[in-house]
Amino acid sequence: MLKDSFGRIHDYLRISLTDKCNLRCVYCHPANSLDGHHDYMKNMSAAEIEKIVSIFVEEGVNKIRLTGGEPLIRKDAKEIIERLSKFPVKLTITTNGVFINEFIATFKQAKLKSVNVSLDSLNKEKNFSLNKRDEFDRVKNNIDLLLKNDFHVKVNVVVMNGINSNEVIDFIDWTKEFPLHIRFIEFMPFPGNKWDHEKVFTHQQILKIASEKYVVEKLSDDEHDTSKKYFVPNHKGTFAVISTMSEPFCSGCNRLRITTDGKMRSCLFSKTETDLLSALRAGNDITPLIRENLYGKHYMLGGNNDEQWGEKETASNRRSMLGIGG
Ligand code: SAM
């Protein structure tokens, strides 16, 4: 069992399959971005991912999320999903949705039932201005395809004050006829993403807007939930807010992360990481390294405090969201 020094049991592993992405989301892609090809030597191979996962599963991990970068641009993404499907874990994925139509059969074979798709605007032009690629129609069609095939679909929306915050109601309207689970995410600071407090649209602001139009009821949240869940009576779907910035939810954290180059990070905001891949390649037992890394986990937000969210500090000590795996 993987326990940190605060007694929190960690059983959920998020694996970044690549730090490359086909979109250029303004809040995610750093200015000095990680372009170029996925480096198959430097990064974990499908077999190495499988081996590392087997060790985490032995240590009690029971949920795995594939992320990135964009996980589905990896040319061996299908092989990785197939390899991981044999473990007794809940396997899930976060994707920008562009290539989902090519993966429906793979997801079904792997019994991957829940898919998180990122979509920040229901307006085609605004979406283009946010992710710099014209993929809105493909993503919308692929969300429909997932629903038709009975997947549990969560839609991730990064809400930025004055940019897409006027679409909160449009997204909630969408849940009236469709069993979608909208997750509004507060804008988080990462190196190169020009974050500032003013751009965060908070949980309470979202709730206020929603409540002006609808009767909003609370759903119960699980101990490890990062989101606060709500529903509008008679809507087929639900909505939730991931309030990382205004109301952090670190007390119930059970998440571990591995970057595509095999570094373990115990928090999205960690300033330190442990090189599991080099140790594995050298033939060493990585279990003590995993335990040691987790034992050093800070109680909240990777040990950052509010004054430290500035660009200078984040640029020097932290990876971008793409480099970690969101
Ligand atoms: N490419 C995939 C996708 O688009 O979903 C997976 C990786 S992406 C980094 C994972 C999630 O992180 C997405 O839902 C994205 O919107 C979110 N994200 C990225 N940068 C963020 C930021 N600065 N603040 C909040 N959420 C962010």
Side-chain angles (χ1 to χ4, degrees), residues 257-267 270-276 289 293 317-319 323-324:
R257 293 169 188 274
I258 304 207
T259 62
T260 189
D261 56 352
K263 309 284 194 311
M264 175 178 169
R265 299 173 75 92
S266 57
C267 174
S270 289
K271 292 186 230 170
T272 56
E273 54 191 24
T274 302
D275 187 353
L276 299 185
L289 297 178
N293 175 293
N317 292 316
R318 293 175 42 219
R319 290 186 185 224
I324 302 167

Side-chain angles (χ1 to χ4, degrees), residues 3 23 45 58 69 87 90 95 101 116 121 128 139 157 188 203 205 218 245 250 261 277 285 288 301 306 325:
K3 228 187 227 185
L23 302 186
S45 67
E58 266 169 39
F87 291 105
K90 182 180 177 197
T95 166
N101 51 308
N116 289 17
S121 174
F128 181 83
V139 176
V157 185
M188 295 183 254
H203 173 207
Q205 286 171 301
K218 185 81 193 72
M245 304 314 299
C250 305
D261 56 352
L277 183 59
D285 178 9
L301 300 174
D306 202 41

Side-chain angles (χ1 to χ4, degrees), residues 4 18 25 54 57 64 71 84 94 115 126 147 173 184 190 207 217 241 243 255-256 264 273 277 288 308 322:
D4 72 2
T18 178
C25 301
S54 75
V57 170
I64 290 177
L84 299 192
T94 300
V115 181
K126 177 149 339 147
L147 290 176
D173 287 348
F184 297 113
F190 289 96
L207 214 50
E217 298 198 4
V241 184
S243 59
R255 290 167 183 71
L256 303 163
M264 175 178 169
E273 54 191 24
L277 183 59
Q308 290 177 316
L322 275 179

